[in-house]
Amino acid sequence: MNRILIIDDDKELCVLIKRSVLSENIEADFCNTGKAGLLKLREREYQLVILDVMMPGMDGFETLEEIRKESSLPILMFTSRNDSISKVRGLRAGADDYLTKPFDMEELIARIVSLIRRYTRFNQPDGAVQKLVFDGLEIDPEARLVTVENSTLELPPKEFDLLLYCAKNQGKILTKKQIYENVWGDEYLYDDSNIMAVISRLRKKLEAAPSSPKYIQTIKGIGYRFNKEV
């Protein structure tokens, strides 16, 4: 059974979420402070963290930064309605998704299930190599081949590495800094020309309509996202 950790100072909401996720065979623990949440994460294994931005003491952003020093677990953040600054800040700091309060419980459960499924899919045991299959696109990490609409391509190293990195983080908004440091393995110096050039070449090879990409989507002002709908 999957288990999630809720870090939120609203105790009644924590209890409600805990009860609601049981319908999806998901167990939940909860803590009401960031520090307590960090201790809990070190004590047992979880498949996802729900994290509120507004908490006394260590807030959600500080807690997020500490979690990301030790774990790549999917993190869904709660933000206040129309607080776009918090959404962008959370995504830049490593959150995988966000939901504004108040929210619909069915939507929250759907997002939890989706994030856990994606995390499980792309975090196989060591030595397990799995082809990534999407709508019209297949990526073979072991052979380093890409198949688009039954046509197999052998991409240049950086194109393949960037595509694979984005695909492994399907649905997650990736900043240009994250992409550069993970694909080029070097310090990001705020020069986006390399990233933009590689993505442009990828779109010409993979997309039926490069100006309206199906796979790697541009998120204005932040970076890119591999379409979670494919």
Side-chain angles (χ1 to χ4, degrees):
M1 179 178 286
N2 289 312
R3 181 179 293 273
I4 66 173
L5 177 64
I6 308 160
I7 308 175
D8 194 314
D9 61 334
D10 186 335
K11 295 180 182 180
E12 290 185 4
L13 177 61
C14 290
V15 171
L16 178 59
I17 296 172
K18 180 182 174 72
R19 290 174 179 168
S20 299
V21 297
L22 280 174
S23 64
E24 295 292 335
N25 202 33
I26 297 171
E27 293 187 345
D29 296 331
F30 61 84
C31 301
N32 304 124
T33 67
K35 288 185 178 179
L38 293 174
L39 290 174
K40 202 77 174 175
L41 282 167
R42 296 183 184 118
E43 291 173 358
R44 69 184 311 167
E45 184 177 346
Y46 294 95
Q47 280 68 53
L48 177 136
V49 175
I50 295 175
L51 179 62
D52 189 31
V53 168
M54 301 297 294
M55 292 188 295
M58 179 183 284
D59 67 18
F61 298 120
E62 294 173 294
T63 307
L64 172 62
E65 290 174 3
E66 292 301 313
I67 293 173
R68 279 291 173 251
K69 290 178 182 178
E70 303 177 13
S71 174
S72 60
L73 277 175
I75 297 175
L76 186 153
M77 294 195 80
F78 287 152
T79 64
S80 300
R81 184 175 294 279
N82 299 323
D83 186 0
S84 59
I85 294 176
S86 290
K87 295 171 188 175
V88 172
R89 183 179 173 187
L91 291 168
R92 286 184 183 275
D96 296 273
D97 201 356
Y98 65 83
L99 201 57
T100 56
K101 291 182 175 180
F103 54 82
D104 180 78
M105 188 59 69
E106 289 188 5
E107 181 180 0
L108 172 62
I109 292 174
R111 290 181 184 233
I112 290 170
V113 171
S114 176
L115 285 167
I116 290 176
R117 185 186 301 120
R118 199 160 70 228
Y119 178 76
T120 303
R121 178 184 181 188
F122 294 128
N123 287 270
Q124 301 296 319
D126 291 343
V129 178
Q130 181 181 16
K131 291 182 180 179
L132 309 184
V133 181
F134 307 98
D135 180 16
L137 174 68
E138 181 179 297
I139 304 171
D140 185 339
E142 187 171 33
R144 293 182 67 85
L145 294 174
V146 174
T147 302
V148 187
E149 301 296 347
N150 299 318
S151 178
T152 300
L153 305 174
E154 187 171 349
L155 298 174
K158 281 291 180 284
E159 290 180 22
F160 183 86
D161 291 344
L162 191 152
L163 175 63
L164 181 61
Y165 177 65
C166 290
K168 281 186 173 182
N169 289 280
Q170 184 185 18
K172 180 178 178 179
I173 296 175
L174 301 169
T175 65
K176 295 170 184 176
K177 182 177 185 291
Q178 288 175 308
I179 292 173
Y180 192 85
E181 292 181 350
N182 280 276
V183 175
W184 275 263
D186 202 356
E187 182 182 359
Y188 177 62
L189 299 175
Y190 300 94
D191 179 3
D192 301 332
S193 56
N194 281 337
I195 297 173
M196 294 172 65
V198 171
I199 287 179
S200 176
R201 294 198 298 269
L202 277 172
R203 285 173 172 167
K204 289 176 181 177
K205 295 175 181 179
L206 305 180
E207 303 284 357
S211 61
S212 182
K214 175 180 177 180
Y215 301 112
I216 302 177
Q217 303 171 320
T218 299
I219 306 300
K220 190 174 181 180
I222 303 177
Y224 299 91
R225 175 180 59 197
F226 195 92
N227 189 357
K228 62 182 177 182
E229 304 297 334
V230 298

